[in-house]
Amino acid sequence: MYFCDNYILAVAFCVVTMFCWGSWGNTQKLAGKTWRYELFYWDYVIGVVLFSVVSGLTAGSFGANPDWGFIDNLKQVSAANFGSAFLGGVVFNAANILLAAAISIAGMSVAFPVGIGLALVLGVVVNYIGAPKGDPVTLFAGVALIVVAILCNAFAYKVKTSRMTRSSQQPQLAKGILLSVVCGVLMAFFYRFIARTMDMSFVKPAPDAGMMTPYSAFFVFSLGIFASNFVFNAVAMRRPVSGEPITEREYFRGGFSIHLVGVLGGLIWGLGNGINLVAAGKAGAAISYGLGQGATLVSALWGILIWREFKGAPRRAAVLNAAMFVLFLAGLGLIISAGEDDDGEKVKIIFDTDMITDFDDVGALACLHAMADAGECEILATVSSTRGNASVGAIEVINSYYGRGDLPVGAPKEIGILGASPWAKEKVHPGSPLGGKTGGDGGHYKYRKLVADYPQWVKHADADDAPDANVLYRRALAAAPDGSVVICTTGFLTNLRRLLETKPDDISPLDGRALVAKKVKRWVAMACNYPNGREYNSKCDWQSSKIAIDNWPTPIVFSDFQYGMDVFAGRAIAEMPGPRNPVKDVFAGAIPPLSEIKADSGKWLRSCFGVGGRAAWDETAVLAAVRGTDGYFNVHRGAYRMVGEAGDDEWLPDEENGPHVRITEKLSKTAVARIIDSLICRPPAASR
């Protein structure tokens, strides 16, 4: 699927939309010389549907991100999202038929500025409330100028009609204004029905389950237009705003050329709508919609300069129309400037992992790099929470595989877990024999083997030789904007305890807790066991866990043991064809064959393995750290605390004032696992 990843290009797309939406009315004017607008409108709708199908099967199926395919996406759309986009088509069609009727009475230079101008003003508000993006002060200042522009056009029309129109025609012209106003109110709401169904984070490997791409949303939207036309246009034909009632038989009496004009009008509008939906992912729904509805300006120019709809009007009307153009241009300029490129909004993240026995840490780091490749986050540092082992070397191998071998890496000093497991008494010396899976290294074997297999990427085969994690944390935080950093821990909490205990130094005049309070937005932790119990990451260095959790000054999000234990991922990368790589090596060497899982699923479930692979505790934490909780998880507020002296924890619910949040299921865990697998399997950007 083709998507727009540049704000300037998104603005250009919206300008094209402006010309398309402001120009399709010319086809109605052309056909209107011999063809009623109600008959024209049938062909217009056919053109819209036709464009939605063609764009979906072409740009919607190929291009920069093939995983967002048009047909495959339609197959998994939820009923609620299908219904919302379809309803958007119904609402749009009701508004657009009124617009077509207003054009037939009052002309383009009045129907568009009043109807679409009003839709622009109300629509920007509706879409901004639904998906806030852009500077609201600048955005609504632009909207205010456009309101004044609309008033100028309305007064110009009043000046024209008061001097040039016979009293018998006044009611008909008033009807044109009224139709335009009703059209504008309805038109303000259609876009939100579509925008809410789309996953606009186009950089992800695939849209969230049940969500639509711009292409599939446009297609379903066009179906709503088509279906509702059999009701709305039938009513318009039998109860016309002007002229005698007509029947559908009249439609089939038109020649090929007159039908082609109507289809062309639909194709022109469809082009504008299609690229506008694509642009919304970068510009935001409010800005994309607002710029597109600058069609008012274009249509007014057509009406005044080409169709001469103000010919013979008093000079005062010309002055008011000139003011309308100036104010409209100024308003559109402010709307554009409200949506400055948001590349600076990438999540700034520090990743803290143990890399000691289990291997979901590898999957988590792979997911993090995949999202960094997609522009979703910026990795500031990667640190180990264990020492005296191959943890740092393993991190360096994975960082280098993804083209980020220069990322700062570090490990704790003096305190914390030492060696090959939380229960080890000695460090693992890099020069000692590798052994085997069941040798003295135990679960740490996979990381020692990673370091041995990819020596070209290893700088610190012994974690004890790596820089102090405290120094890395303090440097990264001190250099970051206030309140901008997310810390994600998928291991022991040793480093965070040590960070909180740091004193002011030449890096920052703040102590650790004050530095965290100033710079950290939130901490996402894979730790603790709901509703109480012992969880590996939080129990093994329970003293550090207690100090870190009790004294942390910013929000904490917990992806705890219970959530991740049945999110099974990793088999996809383990069995993926193609050359070996360090991520694939680890998963292929650690995930049991599918035949063994199926032979005794109960046994393997007790060990947290499933058909899809290993429980994805750490990967879900990374997903929550980068993409937040809204799209994937429900959340419950309360507090986790460490109790006793054996690593026990307990959850104390407090939905109103709890300082902590724990994630629970919203999107199905199968769907979350599929998202994780797609990230783990995604090749590094440098190799694509």
Side-chain angles (χ1 to χ4, degrees):
M1 181 200 80
Y2 172 78
F3 67 94
C4 177
D5 60 355
N6 180 280
Y7 181 70
I8 300 303
L9 182 60
V11 169
F13 280 178
C14 293
V15 171
V16 174
T17 297
M18 185 191 309
F19 279 93
C20 289
W21 284 356
S23 299
W24 72 265
N26 289 315
T27 58
Q28 180 182 336
K29 295 281 286 188
L30 285 170
K33 296 176 180 179
T34 58
W35 196 238
R36 288 275 292 268
Y37 86 86
E38 298 95 336
L39 303 175
F40 159 88
Y41 200 79
W42 286 107
D43 294 317
Y44 167 85
V45 169
I46 291 171
V48 172
V49 176
L50 182 62
F51 190 90
S52 74
V53 173
V54 172
S55 63
L57 294 176
T58 53
S61 299
F62 309 104
N65 199 339
D67 293 327
W68 290 59
F70 174 62
I71 299 297
D72 288 339
N73 182 245
L74 281 174
K75 291 178 181 177
Q76 62 87 57
V77 171
S78 69
N81 285 330
F82 188 99
S84 182
F86 188 90
L87 180 59
V90 174
V91 172
F92 168 80
N93 201 32
N96 211 46
I97 284 180
L98 292 174
L99 178 64
I103 292 172
S104 69
I105 295 174
M108 290 176 65
S109 59
V110 174
F112 268 88
V114 175
I116 304 305
L118 181 60
L120 187 157
V121 172
L122 295 176
V124 167
V125 175
V126 169
N127 284 288
Y128 186 84
I129 292 172
K133 193 167 186 177
D135 176 59
V137 174
T138 306
L139 180 63
F140 290 112
V143 169
L145 289 179
I146 289 172
V147 170
V148 179
I150 294 171
L151 292 175
C152 287
N153 179 254
F155 284 127
Y157 183 62
K158 182 178 180 181
V159 169
K160 168 196 170 184
T161 55
S162 63
R163 294 281 187 89
M164 302 178 62
T165 307
R166 297 188 303 273
S167 59
S168 61
Q169 293 177 307
Q170 292 290 343
Q172 191 74 347
L173 292 170
K175 185 186 291 186
I177 292 287
L178 178 62
L179 289 172
S180 299
V181 170
V182 177
C183 157
V185 173
L186 287 174
M187 192 73 78
F189 291 94
F190 88 89
Y191 197 90
R192 186 67 209 137
F193 285 112
I194 315 173
R196 68 191 297 182
T197 72
M198 296 190 301
D199 187 337
M200 294 188 182
S201 300
F202 303 143
V203 294
K204 295 188 299 188
D208 291 344
M211 299 293 284
M212 288 195 272
T213 73
Y215 302 92
S216 54
F218 183 18
F219 173 69
V220 175
F221 167 76
S222 73
L223 293 181
I225 297 175
F226 183 75
S228 64
N229 205 46
F230 287 92
V231 177
F232 296 147
N233 208 5
V235 172
M237 293 169 71
R238 286 162 177 77
R239 300 180 66 86
V241 295
S242 63
E244 296 297 320
I246 54 176
T247 66
E248 285 75 9
R249 290 196 194 114
E250 297 295 323
Y251 174 79
F252 296 100
R253 292 173 181 166
F256 176 77
S257 59
I258 200 71
H259 287 303
L260 190 60
V261 170
V263 172
L264 177 62
L267 291 173
I268 291 171
W269 189 90
L271 170 62
N273 190 63
I275 63 174
N276 189 269
L277 294 177
V278 171
K282 192 65 179 174
I287 292 169
S288 189
Y289 174 84
L291 288 178
Q293 293 292 33
T296 303
L297 189 66
V298 176
S299 61
L301 283 170
W302 282 113
I304 293 171
L305 301 179
I306 304 302
W307 298 107
R308 311 285 290 175
E309 292 172 349
F310 273 82
K311 183 179 180 181
R315 188 172 184 276
R316 186 182 169 202
V319 172
L320 287 168
N321 278 329
M324 176 196 71
F325 288 128
V326 172
L327 290 167
F328 234 109
L329 287 172
L332 291 175
L334 287 176
I335 291 174
I336 291 171
S337 65
E340 293 178 1
D341 199 345
D342 62 353
D343 285 346
E345 296 179 5
K346 294 178 184 177
V347 177
K348 298 180 184 299
I349 193 160
I350 299 174
F351 183 64
D352 192 322
T353 180
D354 49 26
M355 292 285 184
I356 189 169
T357 54
D358 214 339
F359 58 96
D360 51 337
D361 304 82
V362 173
L365 187 50
C367 288
L368 185 62
H369 278 290
M371 288 186 282
D373 283 349
E376 297 181 62
C377 64
E378 176 188 358
I379 308 172
L380 302 181
T382 48
V383 297
S384 169
S385 59
T386 63
R387 58 196 179 96
N389 55 26
S391 58
V392 170
I395 292 171
E396 290 171 334
V397 168
I398 298 167
N399 288 349
S400 297
Y401 168 63
Y402 283 95
R404 296 185 178 86
D406 57 347
L407 275 176
V409 293
K413 305 296 181 183
E414 300 172 358
I415 68 170
I417 304 301
L418 172 74
S421 76
W423 304 277
K425 304 298 182 184
E426 297 178 348
K427 69 180 291 179
V428 179
H429 291 279
S432 61
L434 183 59
K437 288 185 180 181
T438 58
D441 290 352
H444 194 62
Y445 165 83
K446 64 181 71 67
Y447 297 117
R448 290 203 65 205
K449 189 172 189 307
L450 205 60
V451 170
D453 287 348
Y454 297 91
Q456 72 276 19
W457 288 333
V458 177
K459 298 175 184 175
H460 303 96
D462 184 349
D464 286 350
D465 296 333
D468 188 339
N470 267 353
V471 175
L472 267 62
Y473 264 110
R474 290 184 63 82
R475 283 178 179 165
L477 292 178
D482 292 353
S484 66
V485 178
V486 175
I487 294 175
C488 180
T489 60
T490 62
F492 312 121
L493 307 186
T494 309
N495 287 325
L496 298 197
R497 176 252 184 106
R498 294 180 70 244
L499 171 63
L500 291 175
E501 294 174 344
T502 57
K503 305 298 182 184
D505 54 17
D506 57 353
I507 297 174
S508 171
L510 302 175
D511 64 27
R513 194 174 190 279
L515 185 61
V516 167
K518 184 176 183 181
K519 299 293 185 176
V520 174
K521 183 177 183 180
R522 64 180 177 273
W523 164 23
V524 179
M526 194 283 111
C528 297
N529 189 12
Y530 176 84
N532 55 67
R534 297 178 186 173
E535 190 279 321
Y536 181 84
N537 286 345
S538 48
K539 77 177 181 180
C540 291
D541 183 5
W542 69 266
Q543 297 96 331
S544 293
S545 299
K546 180 174 178 57
I547 292 170
I549 293 172
D550 288 351
N551 294 281
W552 196 258
T554 71
I556 309 176
V557 177
F558 286 90
S559 176
D560 58 31
F561 178 84
Q562 292 299 325
Y563 179 82
M565 66 180 293
D566 50 0
V567 180
F568 298 115
R571 185 171 300 281
I573 184 69
E575 299 178 354
M576 187 173 68
R580 59 188 291 252
N581 65 66
V583 178
K584 180 179 176 180
D585 287 355
V586 170
F587 277 87
I591 289 185
L594 187 59
S595 58
E596 290 187 23
I597 298 286
K598 290 182 175 180
D600 194 347
S601 59
K603 166 195 165 185
W604 287 106
L605 280 174
R606 288 190 292 274
S607 298
C608 296
F609 283 94
V611 170
R614 177 63 167 164
W617 292 292
D618 293 352
E619 292 94 334
T620 57
V622 166
L623 205 60
V626 176
R627 294 183 178 170
T629 57
D630 290 347
Y632 299 105
F633 314 106
N634 288 320
V635 296
H636 295 281
R637 190 167 291 280
Y640 263 121
R641 68 174 187 173
M642 304 300 297
V643 295
E645 297 184 356
D648 293 275
D649 65 69
E650 65 177 4
W651 172 258
L652 304 175
D654 184 353
E655 291 293 347
E656 292 187 4
N657 301 307
H660 304 154
V661 161
R662 56 178 295 268
I663 65 173
T664 60
E665 185 171 3
K666 178 180 182 180
L667 188 64
S668 74
K669 292 188 177 183
T670 301
V672 172
R674 187 167 64 245
I675 292 167
I676 289 169
D677 273 332
S678 69
L679 289 170
I680 296 175
C681 291
R682 199 169 195 187
S687 67
R688 284 182 234 151

